[in-house]
């Protein structure tokens, strides 16, 4: 495919006049460099200097105008990985008058999204750091549509799965290296710089050991909408299969982190679940055909690794079984567990770990990045070999972690089946699994309290309310109410769960006392509504 910029002809003279007279304009969202996305008119890029350029004129706008705080540490993160010092974006400034002395700019007429991919050779990173954030940044800005141009500035080549990036828009994405082909000075007519981090759920351990993000803002719904967009673009349709044609997918790795007794595992699964098993690997199948198979599977079994990101294509109700090599604690490496457990993903998740050292094959002689340890001091090698579990560590070059995670494994069938029987609460079942409602109750209406004093040490507090307004339009399996009662001045409260719209409290209610009462509605045990305004009730 050629790197033709556009079929849309632009009036070169008019564009050049606009740039010279109006200069660059920037308006951003976000308070911090970590949550900022900026929209530019006429942001330019100098391919010789490898710098973006902001041209000042009388009509320029720069919001936020941070002064030199723009360099503390940067204007924004160019990738979706938070505050990574290799992923910062900034620009140089020049007066628009300097254009007279510069090479003639080449204008990019498309609306452009400029970003860094984080690790385009790894499938997990491709989906989590790039594709999902790009997709949802595009949803945030309506002019980033199917005609938008993606520009990847991290400086890598296409990477292992460039075709996946091509699915996001009808235009060929540009790499940093491509830009020089267009000339010395490129000016993006309209561009967005940065990525939404709203959909990411995992942090890779640059400042603290890896784990789920502290404040996850994405639900299974958005992941599944993205997954079905991708399936649509890949021309994958979920074919209707007969009721009883359930199957299990083993996603294996052909070059490292192998399952050494796959045949035995398949046999055991057939006996246990009465299902056939399909094996796939990125070495043997195309990505499209793998997604096709996974999108109809009841269970996905795989060693820990990037290929497990494809669990987002499993149907609701399916199970993800993640296998961990010897001395690796599953609780500490949870990108796929976190994904499967997002509300509304509706996947079951089970982790199995190899506890039998003899069932593990390690590769101390390999290069360090494939888990080799022979480059280390003898003592350190011995310590690693004797260790029964990798302790918590930072990303990305911990030799003990790499040594352990790149082991091959003979899966011990009895312990594997036991973990499955224990972990799968219900038989993985796709047919019955419909999306569960995520509609939250509104506030209860007209909350009231009435009090009465029975005796010097006896009082009653009657609380009543009306159903939330939206309930009359909903079919809800279980509607309950939660009432909190706090004696004024105390710092604890008593919570009650109630089935009806009124209740008279007499236990623990004292005469001549002021109580604060909050009421809210709860659907299906876990969908909490907001509290109504506090009631002030004097006995
Ligand atoms: N990979 C693969 N087969 C293998 C080993 C790796 O397909 O035998 C893929 C893997 O799914 C990932 C990429 O190669 O997309 C890099 O793998 P690596 O082991 O570096 O990362 P990890 O899977 O541990 O995230």
């Amino acid at each position: 495919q050629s790197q033709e910029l556009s079929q849309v002809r632009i009036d070169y003279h008019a564009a050049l006049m606009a740039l010279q007279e109006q200069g660059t304009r920037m308006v951003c969202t976000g308070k911090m460099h970590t949550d900022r996305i900026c929209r530019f008119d006429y942001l330019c890029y100098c391919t010789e200097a490898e710098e973006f350029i902001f041209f000042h004129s009388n009509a320029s706008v720069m919001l936020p105008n941070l002064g030199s705080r723009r360099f503390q540490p940067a204007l924004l993160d160019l990738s979706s990985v938070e505050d990574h010092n290799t992923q910062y974006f900034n620009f140089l400034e020049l007066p628009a008058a300097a254009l007279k002395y510069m090479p003639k700019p080449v204008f990019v007429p498309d609306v452009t999204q400029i970003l860094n991919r984080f690790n385009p050779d790894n499938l997990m990173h491709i989906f989590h750091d790039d594709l999902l954030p790009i997709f949802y940044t595009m949803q945030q800005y309506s002019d980033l549509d199917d005609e938008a141009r993606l520009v990847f500035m991290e400086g890598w080549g296409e990477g292992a799965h460039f075709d996946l990036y091509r699915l996001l828009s009808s235009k060929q994405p540009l790499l940093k290296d491509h830009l020089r082909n267009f000339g010395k000075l490129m000016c993006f007519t309209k561009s967005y710089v940065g990525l939404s981090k709203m959909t990411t759920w995992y942090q890779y351990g640059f400042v603290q050991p890896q784990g789920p993000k502290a404040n996850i803002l994405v639900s299974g719904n958005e992941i599944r909408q993205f997954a079905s967009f991708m399936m649509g673009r890949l021309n994958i349709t979920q074919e209707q299969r007969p009721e009883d044609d359930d199957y299990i997918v083993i996603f294996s790795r052909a070059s490292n982190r192998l399952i050494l007794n796959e045949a035995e595992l398949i046999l055991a699964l057939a006996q246990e679940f009465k299902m056939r098993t399909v094996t796939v690997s990125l070495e043997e199948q195309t990505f499209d055909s793998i997604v096709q198979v996974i999108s109809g599977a009841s269970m996905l079994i795989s060693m820990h690794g990037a290929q497990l990101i494809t669990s987002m294509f499993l149907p609701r109700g399916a199970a993800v079984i993640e296998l961990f090599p010897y001395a690796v604690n599953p609780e500490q490496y949870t990108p796929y567990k976190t994904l499967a457990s997002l509300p509304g993903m509706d996947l079951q998740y089970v982790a199995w770990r190899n506890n039998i050292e003899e069932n593990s094959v390690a590769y101390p002689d390999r290069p360090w990045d494939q888990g080799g340890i022979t480059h280390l001091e003898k003592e350190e090698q011995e310590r690693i070999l004797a260790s029964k579990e990798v302790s918590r560590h930072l990303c990305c070059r911990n030799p003990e972690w790499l040594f352990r995670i790149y082991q091959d494994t003979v899966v011990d069938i009895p312990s594997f089946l036991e973990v499955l029987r224990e972990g799968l609460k219900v038989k993985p079942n796709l047919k019955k699994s419909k999306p569960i409602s995520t509609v939250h109750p509104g506030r209860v209406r007209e909350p009231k309290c009435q009090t009465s004093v029975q005796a010097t040490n006896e009082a009653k507090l009657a609380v009543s309310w009306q159903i939330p307004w939206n309930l009359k339009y909903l079919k809800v399996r279980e509607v309950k109410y939660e009432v909190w009662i706090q004696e004024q001045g105390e710092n604890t409260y008593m919570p009650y769960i109630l089935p009806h719209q009124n209740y008279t409290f007499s236990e623990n209610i004292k005469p001549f006392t002021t109580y604060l009462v909050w009421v809210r509605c709860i659907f299906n045990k876990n969908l909490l509504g907001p509290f109504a305004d506090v009631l002030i009730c004097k006995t």
Side-chain angles (χ1 to χ4, degrees):
Q1 208 174 336
S2 82
Q3 291 153 20
E4 251 348 78
L5 273 185
S6 182
Q7 301 80 349
V8 191
R9 298 278 309 153
I10 56 158
D11 182 341
Y12 185 83
H13 184 70
L16 188 58
M17 293 288 285
L19 171 60
Q20 279 166 343
E21 277 163 28
Q22 318 211 5
T24 307
R25 272 165 297 162
M26 172 188 100
V27 183
C28 309
T29 61
K31 279 195 189 144
M32 313 255 293
H33 71 281
T34 51
D35 64 358
R36 190 166 289 140
I37 297 176
C38 294
R39 183 188 181 287
F40 289 89
D41 294 313
Y42 295 113
L43 174 67
C44 298
Y45 181 74
C46 174
T47 55
E48 263 177 1
E50 303 197 356
E51 298 275 9
F52 284 93
I53 301 179
F54 184 106
F55 284 105
H56 284 276
S57 82
N58 294 336
S60 292
V61 175
M62 194 193 286
L63 262 184
N65 202 322
L66 293 164
S68 48
R69 284 170 293 161
R70 185 157 69 76
F71 310 112
Q72 293 169 2
L75 180 62
L76 54 80
D77 292 336
L78 210 38
S79 83
S80 71
V81 174
E82 184 140 318
D83 197 30
H84 196 290
N85 61 11
T86 64
Q87 309 289 325
Y88 289 152
F89 170 84
N90 241 317
F91 47 73
L92 295 186
E93 294 160 274
L94 280 177
L99 279 162
K100 279 198 292 266
Y101 310 103
M102 297 183 72
K104 282 270 159 283
V106 173
F107 289 97
V108 180
D110 316 307
V111 181
T112 303
Q113 189 180 0
I114 298 170
L115 62 116
N116 277 6
R117 297 176 300 166
F118 190 70
N119 181 354
D121 280 336
N122 179 302
L123 211 48
M124 158 66 182
H125 287 283
I126 291 171
F127 275 88
H128 177 269
D129 311 342
D130 307 340
L131 297 174
L132 270 158
I134 294 170
F135 180 77
Y136 280 108
T137 306
M138 291 177 77
Q139 305 249 315
Q140 190 167 348
Y141 300 103
S142 60
D143 47 351
L144 285 174
D145 55 17
D146 195 49
E147 315 271 87
R149 176 77 67 178
L150 297 170
V151 176
F152 302 144
M153 292 305 297
E154 78 288 335
W156 292 43
E158 292 192 344
H161 297 278
F162 200 59
D163 283 343
L164 295 174
Y165 295 93
R166 286 200 181 94
L167 301 176
L168 296 174
S169 104
S170 61
K171 302 233 164 91
Q172 167 81 349
L174 297 178
L175 302 176
K176 184 178 173 189
D177 271 354
H178 293 152
L179 299 183
R180 356 185 131 261
N181 303 340
F182 298 108
K184 292 189 172 151
L185 186 62
M186 295 185 75
C187 293
F188 299 95
T189 311
K190 275 189 182 163
S191 60
Y192 291 86
V193 180
L195 275 179
S196 167
K197 297 183 175 76
M198 214 84 90
T199 59
T200 57
W201 63 85
Y202 207 70
Q203 62 84 11
Y204 299 121
F206 296 108
V207 286
Q208 51 171 312
Q210 63 171 274
K213 285 206 328 188
N215 186 13
I216 294 178
L217 301 174
V218 68
S219 84
N221 174 52
E222 291 69 39
I223 305 290
R224 287 195 175 280
Q225 302 237 9
F226 164 78
S228 60
F229 166 87
M230 292 297 279
M231 286 176 62
R233 290 279 159 109
L234 291 167
N235 284 323
I236 295 171
T237 45
Q238 237 210 290
E239 65 220 80
Q240 289 301 309
R241 280 180 302 107
E243 226 3 67
D244 50 359
D245 186 27
D246 290 345
Y247 60 91
I248 298 171
V249 174
I250 297 184
F251 202 147
S252 59
R253 297 168 57 111
S255 38
N256 56 45
R257 210 176 297 157
L258 309 180
I259 300 170
L260 293 170
N261 58 336
E262 244 173 58
E264 193 188 359
L265 183 63
I266 291 169
L267 213 64
L269 288 165
Q271 282 176 0
E272 179 76 13
F273 295 100
K274 310 280 179 275
M275 281 190 235
R276 66 192 171 95
T277 298
V278 186
T279 307
V280 297
S281 75
L282 289 164
E283 289 85 351
E284 299 282 325
Q285 276 85 17
T286 63
F287 185 76
D288 317 13
S289 67
I290 292 175
V291 171
Q292 170 89 57
V293 175
I294 288 178
S295 71
S298 297
M299 211 187 283
L300 175 62
I301 303 176
S302 176
M303 292 303 293
H304 172 79
Q307 66 287 343
L308 266 170
I309 194 67
T310 54
S311 58
M312 73 167 66
F313 297 102
L314 282 167
R316 292 176 192 281
V320 179
I321 320 296
E322 184 172 12
L323 314 176
F324 289 83
Y326 179 74
V328 177
N329 182 349
E331 315 253 304
Q332 287 164 22
Y333 310 96
T334 56
Y336 313 110
K337 178 187 183 176
T338 307
L339 169 62
S341 313
L342 289 177
M345 248 345 259
D346 299 340
L347 294 174
Q348 301 193 64
Y349 175 89
V350 178
W352 173 87
R353 85 191 265 190
N354 176 20
N355 287 316
I356 306 172
E357 192 168 7
E358 301 77 62
N359 282 354
S360 199
V361 178
Y363 295 93
D365 299 325
R366 284 187 177 169
W368 72 268
D369 57 345
Q370 292 163 46
I373 52 170
T374 44
H375 64 287
L376 302 172
E377 304 221 332
K378 259 259 124 1
E379 258 175 45
E380 179 61 0
Q381 292 185 36
E382 277 159 18
R383 187 194 65 76
I384 291 175
L385 291 168
S387 157
K388 294 194 178 341
E389 186 173 310
V390 182
S391 36
R392 287 167 70 78
H393 58 91
L394 295 180
C395 189
C396 312
R397 296 184 166 210
N398 182 297
E400 183 178 353
W401 152 250
L402 292 170
F403 174 70
R404 290 306 186 182
I405 199 61
Y406 280 110
Q407 294 170 114
D408 297 340
T409 304
V410 177
V411 176
D412 176 61
I413 303 296
S415 84
F416 175 73
L417 291 178
E418 193 181 300
V419 164
L420 280 195
R421 286 177 198 139
E422 179 74 14
L424 295 176
K425 293 286 173 293
V426 289
K427 183 173 178 282
N429 192 330
L430 322 176
K431 310 301 179 299
K432 273 191 288 182
S433 192
K434 296 219 177 62
I436 18 176
S437 167
T438 53
V439 176
H440 292 85
R443 286 148 64 100
V444 302
R445 297 194 302 162
E446 297 171 46
K448 289 191 181 77
C449 58
Q450 276 189 317
T451 58
S452 56
V453 174
Q454 255 64 32
T456 49
N457 56 359
E458 213 186 315
K460 282 190 172 155
L461 172 59
V463 186
S464 67
W465 55 89
Q466 299 299 314
I467 63 169
W469 176 81
N470 60 347
L471 179 55
K472 60 178 184 281
Y473 300 103
L474 299 170
K475 271 195 196 130
V476 181
R477 187 162 30 81
E478 184 199 90
V479 180
K480 290 252 163 88
Y481 296 93
E482 183 168 15
V483 177
W484 289 5
I485 301 181
Q486 179 180 46
E487 187 180 326
Q488 193 167 46
E490 297 291 312
N491 52 18
T492 59
Y493 60 86
M494 289 293 297
Y496 301 87
I497 299 281
L498 303 168
H500 303 301
Q501 287 155 247
N502 55 66
Y503 192 79
T504 302
F505 299 88
S506 49
E507 265 176 55
N508 301 321
I509 302 294
K510 298 184 280 194
F512 314 113
T513 306
T514 301
Y515 291 97
L516 305 181
V517 179
W518 289 266
V519 187
R520 70 174 165 191
C521 182
I522 302 177
F523 291 167
N524 302 335
K525 301 222 185 331
N526 55 16
L527 291 165
L528 309 178
F531 283 108
D533 288 342
V534 61
L535 296 171
I536 298 168
C537 316
K538 295 190 173 95
T539 53

